[in-house]
Amino acid sequence: MELEAAKLKYIQTWGSLATSWGINKTMAQVHALLLVAVEPLSADAIMETLKISRGNVNMNVRALIDWGIVKKEFVPGERKEFFVADKDIWELFKQVTKERKRREIEPVLKVLDELQNDVTATTEEAQQFKALMKDLSSVTNTVNGILEKAIKADEHWLLSSFTKMIKK
Amino acid sequence: MELEAAKLKYIQTWGSLATSWGINKTMAQVHALLLVAVEPLSADAIMETLKISRGNVNMNVRALIDWGIVKKEFVPGERKEFFVADKDIWELFKQVTKERKRREIEPVLKVLDELQNDVTATTEEAQQFKALMKDLSSVTNTVNGILEKAIKADEHWLLSSFTKMIKK
DNA sequence: CTAAACTTTCAATAAATTTTGAAAGTTTAG
DNA sequence: CTAAACTTTCAAAATTTATTGAAAGTTTAG
């Protein structure tokens, strides 16, 4: 397979994975493009390759920067801004995990705990509801804890001691 | 807070969490409703509570059954079908994880491996691309392995030995 | 069998999300 | 300062995704 074709296929595949996990397809594609790029890309280059508008590029690059997975890069002698994606995939995973935890999981945990505390009734049904909230909260907390550990861990920990544990 | 209000708030919260993780909001709400319900619910009861159409209820309940997290329940003396959600939240987590792994992660891993193998060029750039695919594949595989272990583990493993490990 | 009770389907419609592109804003070279 | 180069904004348009509801299909009671 041609390298360029392979790059495009990767960009497409990554875009559709992202879609099924609630991430904007274009955002994932811009990121994928920056990942496979050898040098920093300008907004124009991204527009041209992905056939999307300038506004769209701007918004999605902005979002990627906000997620902490893309950086602006200054290219000597150029006025334009250039963008690069961190090539360390483990860092990428950690960063995305960290942000999703913070943006989505933690707020939900807060609500679950509030619901548990705010229901004052002591009927059988209320007890059941509170027990359910507690269970949801417990599993969510557990998952959150695993992710917490993962984002603090270095790759070595994940790939070695964890692998051993998995095979156990 | 009133129990009914708390239930509604939970249904809403869960629905919006689902949305940000690429799961249909109504599907999550139907599931949440079944979770907080004390007895099995009919399609009519779901329609009425969530103010959605019969077709919508049918499709989403169907999807939940397909995900393995809701079951039909036969109620003696009734012609209608009734539905229940498994109340074991850890089972729910395992089931959802298993399905998403199978439906979304594994197909992507397959593509990443293909891309790595199908690129035959040996230029510097091709090497870099293949290394990137390898890294992506490696991290994805690692995550997949953790999930694999999690769905095979019992809750005890997760809450005890894992907790210990996390605190290490 | 027949009709009522219930479930499923799916084309049309509605809602939500994403994208565009032109105008406004900002920065920098000269 | 001024104009060109570049970036940002955001209302309107396009696209994607979800929902409706009526018709078709299925099951069961009698």
Side-chain angles (χ1 to χ4, degrees):
Chain A
M1 190 189 264
E2 283 293 333
L3 182 58
E4 288 312 306
K7 286 185 175 181
L8 289 177
K9 184 165 182 189
Y10 161 64
I11 290 168
Q12 292 304 320
T13 303
W14 213 240
S16 53
L17 178 67
T19 300
S20 62
W21 286 81
I23 290 163
N24 176 302
K25 188 181 84 184
T26 304
M27 184 171 151
Q29 290 186 336
V30 171
H31 182 256
L33 175 61
L34 291 173
L35 257 191
V36 297
V38 179
E39 351 75 42
L41 300 182
S42 66
D44 291 274
I46 298 169
M47 282 171 69
E48 199 170 316
T49 313
L50 300 181
K51 309 268 186 286
I52 60 179
S53 73
R54 185 175 300 282
N56 201 3
V57 169
N58 185 274
M59 285 188 149
N60 282 296
V61 166
R62 195 140 277 288
L64 288 166
I65 291 173
D66 192 41
W67 273 75
I69 59 181
V70 159
K71 301 267 176 295
K72 284 187 185 178
E73 193 156 298
F74 178 73
V75 173
E78 286 275 9
R79 265 238 348 236
K80 292 181 197 176
E81 294 179 329
F82 287 76
F83 307 99
V84 286
D86 185 355
K87 299 290 193 285
D88 182 336
I89 302 304
W90 181 243
E91 271 306 321
L92 168 67
F93 170 75
K94 288 206 288 189
Q95 194 58 35
V96 170
T97 302
K98 186 173 145 195
E99 289 294 318
R100 297 205 82 164
K101 242 172 67 66
R102 183 175 69 76
R103 297 176 195 211
E104 297 150 11
I105 300 181
E106 279 155 14
V108 167
L109 272 175
K110 195 155 160 283
V111 173
L112 291 179
D113 285 345
E114 278 166 19
L115 287 175
Q116 227 179 121
N117 294 324
D118 292 359
V119 171
T120 47
T122 52
T123 58
E124 168 74 6
E125 201 187 350
Q127 296 295 339
Q128 277 182 31
F129 177 76
K130 287 196 262 185
L132 176 67
M133 292 303 108
K134 191 162 163 256
D135 283 358
L136 278 168
S137 182
S138 154
V139 170
T140 311
N141 258 311
T142 302
V143 173
N144 207 38
I146 294 170
L147 298 178
E148 185 69 19
K149 180 68 183 177
I151 65 184
K152 284 185 178 155
D154 59 17
E155 187 168 12
H156 181 259
W157 170 75
L158 201 94
L159 295 175
S160 66
S161 71
F162 217 147
T163 304
K164 273 180 223 146
M165 183 164 184
I166 286 161
K167 286 184 178 155
K168 184 179 74 173
Chain B
M1 190 188 264
E2 283 294 334
L3 182 58
E4 287 314 306
K7 285 185 177 182
L8 289 177
K9 184 165 183 190
Y10 162 63
I11 291 168
Q12 293 303 321
T13 304
W14 213 241
S16 55
L17 177 67
T19 301
S20 64
W21 287 80
I23 290 164
N24 174 303
K25 188 182 81 184
T26 303
M27 184 171 154
Q29 290 187 334
V30 171
H31 182 257
L33 175 61
L34 291 172
L35 257 192
V36 296
V38 178
E39 352 75 41
L41 299 181
S42 66
D44 290 275
I46 298 170
M47 282 171 70
E48 200 170 315
T49 312
L50 299 181
K51 310 269 188 285
I52 60 179
S53 73
R54 186 175 299 286
N56 201 3
V57 169
N58 186 274
M59 284 187 150
N60 282 295
V61 165
R62 194 140 278 288
L64 288 166
I65 292 174
D66 193 41
W67 275 74
I69 59 180
V70 160
K71 300 269 177 293
K72 285 186 186 180
E73 192 157 297
F74 178 71
V75 173
E78 285 275 11
R79 254 199 55 202
K80 291 182 194 173
E81 294 179 330
F82 287 76
F83 306 99
V84 285
D86 186 354
K87 298 290 192 284
D88 182 335
I89 302 303
W90 180 245
E91 270 307 321
L92 168 68
F93 170 76
K94 288 205 289 189
Q95 194 58 35
V96 170
T97 302
K98 185 174 146 193
E99 288 293 320
R100 297 204 81 163
K101 244 173 62 70
R102 184 175 68 77
R103 296 176 195 212
E104 297 150 11
I105 300 181
E106 278 155 18
V108 167
L109 272 175
K110 197 158 159 283
V111 173
L112 290 179
D113 285 345
E114 278 166 19
L115 286 176
Q116 222 179 123
N117 294 324
D118 292 359
V119 169
T120 48
T122 52
T123 58
E124 168 74 5
E125 199 186 353
Q127 297 294 340
Q128 276 183 29
F129 176 77
K130 287 196 262 184
L132 176 66
M133 293 303 109
K134 191 162 163 257
D135 283 357
L136 279 168
S137 181
S138 154
V139 170
T140 310
N141 258 311
T142 303
V143 172
N144 206 40
I146 294 169
L147 298 177
E148 184 70 20
K149 180 69 184 178
I151 64 183
K152 284 186 179 155
D154 58 18
E155 188 167 8
H156 179 261
W157 170 76
L158 199 93
L159 295 175
S160 66
S161 72
F162 218 147
T163 304
K164 274 180 225 146
M165 185 163 184
I166 286 162
K167 286 184 181 154
K168 185 181 72 172

